[in-house]
Amino acid sequence: MFASCADPSQLEGLAWLMCYLTTGKHMLFYGSFFVVLLLMVITAPVALLFGFGGALAARSRVAPLRWFGKGYTAMVRGVPDIVFFLFVPIALDQGLEYLRHLWACPPSDAPVWSNNEFNVCAAAKLPLSSSPQIWHEAYGFTLAVIAFAIVFGAFAANVLYGAMQAVPRAQLETAEAYGMTHRQVTRRILIPQMWTYALPGLSNLWMILIKATPLLFLLGVEDIVYWARELGSTKSAIYDYPHPDWRVWYFLGLLAFYLGMTKLSESVLSRITARLSRGQATMAGEAQRKQAGGAGA
Amino acid sequence: MSCLDIIADYGMRSLGVGERLLPRGDVTLCHQFTLIGSGMIWNVYFGALALIFGFFAATALALAKASENPLLRKPAEWFIFLFRGSPLFIQFFLAYEALVLLPRAGIDIFGLTIQTSWMTRAWAGALLVLFLNTSAYSAEIFYGALRSVPKGDLEAADAYGMTGWTKFRRVVWPTMLRLAWPAYTNEAIFLFHATALVFFSGFPAFKQQGDALYYASYFADKTFNPFIPYPITAFYFIVLTLVLIGIFGAVNRRLNRHLPGQDRPRLRLRPQIIR
């Protein structure tokens, strides 16, 4: 990185540390923090969208749609979610490769699933074994995002469905009395009022999402846990920067990262909670009203 | 070789009793059930001990967090934040790496040598992490319950002239437990499920003595078929969960026995494993 780092064996103290922390491998390590942040930033809106769809479907008046919505929300209540994290990427991967197998492979009699192995021809592999490394990583990351979105979408659907049920019935009936259609009631009354009831559950989900990101490591993505283990392990004299086992320091760094994320999220979420309870017929909204009235008088 | 022989050979394998080599060649369903079941001993060990020790630590932490004195309150708040704010996965890795750094020869205190090598073993190190983790999570539950103890109950205790320890033991503590119990049941189930992470995260299995998931992944590697050992593991975990619900439900009934039927809180199950 710097010209002075050309010969690390001559360096001492702080200069050595500066050069050590700016090696190419360390740049990849810092980059992997953005991978984790990217995962959260992509997953959160997609999961919210899935959850919204699921909750609306569960309230739908069309029976098959309602069954689908109820099934989706019930999914996560029955089965521990780690099962989905390990199962969804494998199932998606095999499903996609099987579809490509039907389309791209020369016809053959060999069954795709045999002897507990999954065999498709080289042309059906995803991504192709000849494609560059970056595509393999992007593909693995995408599968992880889809797994996260499906699982957290089901959690969110559960929360949002509960929140929609919690909106006072009288509010909806008043809207109906004004002659609003079902769609108008949903859009103008139900959805704006639902958020204050949904927020405690959604903030809880966001906290769980933050703490679920090390599972990327189990899914084989080169995330921060991977790099912390890789960089921290003992480096003998054949490396440019030999050092003893420093994994504990790297993991302390990760711990600080996660605690910082939690702290930041807590303060942002408490602001959003205060903003959303303004003017609501809840205890928090009532407290705000009293405070404002007291200040005015 | 009948199934009973296999149970005799491998039933206690996870504790190092019985056959030394794990089955390699023809792995039968009985092998898988026996060995994974024997691994469950460790899951139950981690879960039960962490839960029992954690229960008392959590009560103390909840009281400290609710205390007026900042010298008690601040450390409790920080402890709870530390363990609830970071992933259990990272805590396991960090604890293992930190425990490995302890001096191998032991620590000398006033001429006494305290051995430290046993701390890097899963039975002590992982138990310590699980204990601290469940203490923090349960403390937050108990703290919330402590804050919702009805004012009338406390005033009634005052009216009877109860103070200090008597008031705590007879009024505050039982009410706190009663209010916290549904959430605490979920925490206990959560904890038992989290024991599956132990051998996935740092702590090595010593002499192939591992937990249920360790043997399940062993069989999945040997037979190239994950669709038998993992469902067996899931089956054992479901049985364990049902037993827990039974025990905690009985305690819940006992805690609420003075209330009329419709006022009794029901246990609601919400299984999750990430923390």
Side-chain angles (χ1 to χ4, degrees):
Chain A
M1 178 103 185
F2 301 115
S4 60
C5 297
D7 187 6
S9 56
Q10 301 300 316
L11 294 169
E12 289 276 331
L14 204 61
W16 185 90
L17 195 65
M18 278 296 293
C19 289
Y20 172 69
L21 289 177
T22 51
T23 55
K25 283 272 172 78
H26 273 83
M27 288 302 157
L28 288 175
F29 174 53
Y30 305 139
S32 65
F33 280 94
F34 288 99
V35 171
V36 169
L37 292 178
L38 191 69
L39 174 84
M40 291 194 274
V41 169
I42 297 178
T43 306
V46 175
L48 200 57
L49 209 67
F50 278 22
F52 208 76
L56 282 179
R59 278 177 70 88
S60 166
R61 284 177 297 185
V62 186
L65 207 59
R66 189 169 63 239
W67 295 332
F68 169 76
K70 295 249 182 197
Y72 184 51
T73 51
M75 178 179 99
V76 288
R77 266 188 291 183
V79 186
D81 32 23
I82 199 163
V83 176
F84 287 103
F85 284 120
L86 298 179
F87 176 75
V88 169
I90 295 175
L92 268 181
D93 188 38
Q94 293 200 351
L96 286 174
E97 288 191 349
Y98 181 67
L99 285 180
R100 276 176 54 110
H101 168 82
L102 293 180
W103 175 64
C105 285
S108 75
D109 292 335
V112 177
W113 283 279
S114 66
N115 298 331
N116 305 320
E117 278 182 56
F118 183 71
N119 297 306
V120 290
C121 67
K125 287 273 181 232
L126 257 181
L128 294 174
S129 48
S130 57
S131 51
Q133 178 65 20
I134 182 85
W135 286 112
H136 286 270
E137 282 171 21
Y139 181 67
F141 180 75
T142 313
L143 288 183
V145 167
I146 295 174
F148 269 70
I150 290 178
V151 175
F152 279 92
F155 280 133
N158 219 344
V159 169
L160 291 177
Y161 180 74
M164 287 177 183
Q165 299 292 78
V167 173
R169 196 57 222 138
Q171 297 273 347
L172 306 182
E173 275 164 10
T174 312
E176 275 158 15
Y178 272 101
M180 289 191 192
T181 61
H182 184 73
R183 182 178 298 224
Q184 280 174 325
V185 173
T186 305
R187 218 182 59 228
R188 295 193 190 165
I189 310 295
L190 182 69
I191 292 174
Q193 292 206 33
M194 147 196 107
W195 293 111
T196 185
Y197 301 101
L199 203 68
L202 289 182
S203 17
N204 198 14
L205 273 187
W206 171 252
M207 296 295 182
I208 296 178
L209 175 62
I210 292 176
K211 287 186 272 172
T213 50
L215 287 179
L216 276 178
F217 174 69
L218 290 185
L219 294 179
V221 177
E222 292 187 358
D223 74 331
I224 48 181
V225 179
Y226 170 84
W227 282 113
R229 281 163 64 104
E230 190 75 15
L231 293 170
S233 58
T234 312
K235 297 281 182 291
S236 58
I238 57 163
Y239 288 88
D240 285 345
Y241 297 92
H243 63 75
D245 192 349
W246 280 356
R247 275 180 292 192
V248 67
W249 304 114
Y250 281 89
F251 279 113
L252 269 181
L254 296 195
L255 189 76
F257 169 71
Y258 279 109
L259 290 178
M261 288 296 298
T262 307
K263 197 84 197 161
L264 186 74
S265 311
E266 267 177 6
S267 67
V268 170
L269 287 169
S270 73
R271 275 177 185 217
I272 299 178
T273 311
R275 172 73 191 77
L276 279 182
S277 27
R278 197 179 294 168
Q280 293 281 354
T282 57
M283 208 158 115
E286 201 61 27
Q288 279 182 349
R289 220 179 341 268
K290 271 184 195 147
Q291 211 172 21
Chain B
M1 200 154 130
S2 79
C3 197
L4 280 176
D5 292 336
I6 295 174
I7 292 176
D9 282 349
Y10 290 109
M12 291 286 171
R13 176 63 182 78
S14 65
L15 303 178
V17 179
E19 199 71 20
R20 205 168 63 81
L21 289 174
L22 294 185
R24 282 162 188 282
D26 49 350
V27 174
T28 61
L29 205 60
C30 182
H31 277 117
Q32 306 207 10
F33 257 103
T34 311
L35 208 51
I36 292 174
S38 120
M40 283 306 283
I41 297 173
W42 280 112
N43 293 82
V44 173
Y45 161 82
F46 285 129
L49 285 191
L51 200 65
I52 292 167
F53 293 135
F55 177 78
F56 295 103
T59 311
L61 275 168
L63 285 175
K65 190 174 175 180
S67 133
E68 303 266 312
N69 185 351
L71 283 179
L72 286 174
R73 194 179 66 233
K74 284 290 166 193
E77 279 176 359
W78 276 102
F79 178 86
I80 292 172
F81 174 68
L82 181 70
F83 281 94
R84 289 184 80 234
S86 62
L88 179 62
F89 206 59
I90 301 284
Q91 290 166 20
F92 271 129
F93 275 123
L94 185 62
Y96 180 67
E97 302 302 341
L99 291 172
V100 166
L101 287 187
L102 290 175
R104 249 158 215 277
I107 304 169
D108 275 317
I109 299 175
F110 308 125
L112 284 169
T113 308
I114 297 174
Q115 292 297 322
T116 53
S117 55
W118 54 273
M119 284 300 289
T120 58
R121 297 274 175 73
W123 69 262
L127 181 63
L128 181 71
V129 177
L130 283 170
F131 158 68
L132 295 176
N133 189 283
T134 189
S135 302
Y137 275 87
S138 318
E140 190 64 23
I141 294 171
F142 287 165
Y143 170 72
L146 200 60
R147 303 238 311 170
S148 9
V149 172
K151 202 167 115 189
D153 290 16
L154 301 176
E155 282 167 356
D158 288 338
Y160 274 106
M162 288 187 198
T163 48
W165 175 245
T166 321
K167 180 176 161 188
F168 176 75
R169 201 178 58 80
R170 295 227 186 137
V171 179
V172 179
W173 195 59
T175 313
M176 178 193 91
L177 279 187
R178 181 171 71 77
L179 295 174
W181 207 255
Y184 189 62
T185 306
N186 280 309
E187 161 61 26
I189 294 168
F190 209 9
L191 175 70
F192 273 89
H193 287 185
T195 57
L197 277 177
V198 168
F199 286 101
F200 258 169
S201 50
F203 289 96
F206 179 67
K207 286 185 185 166
Q208 293 189 315
Q209 298 168 13
D211 74 335
L213 209 58
Y214 174 82
Y215 290 123
S217 64
Y218 172 84
F219 282 125
D221 282 352
K222 281 280 174 282
T223 61
F224 302 106
N225 185 1
F227 294 104
I228 296 185
Y230 287 119
I232 293 176
T233 318
F235 163 77
Y236 277 119
F237 270 101
I238 289 171
V239 171
L240 186 61
T241 309
L242 290 177
V243 170
L244 272 176
I245 292 174
I247 297 171
F248 276 75
V251 176
N252 191 43
R253 277 193 296 282
R254 162 116 194 133
L255 284 171
N256 291 300
R257 68 193 185 283
H258 59 291
L259 292 178
Q262 71 270 23
D263 289 349
R264 291 185 190 170
R266 302 262 321 268
L267 296 182
R268 267 187 70 207
L269 188 61
R270 333 175 86 168
Q272 281 174 13
I273 205 157
I274 312 162
R275 58 198 297 172

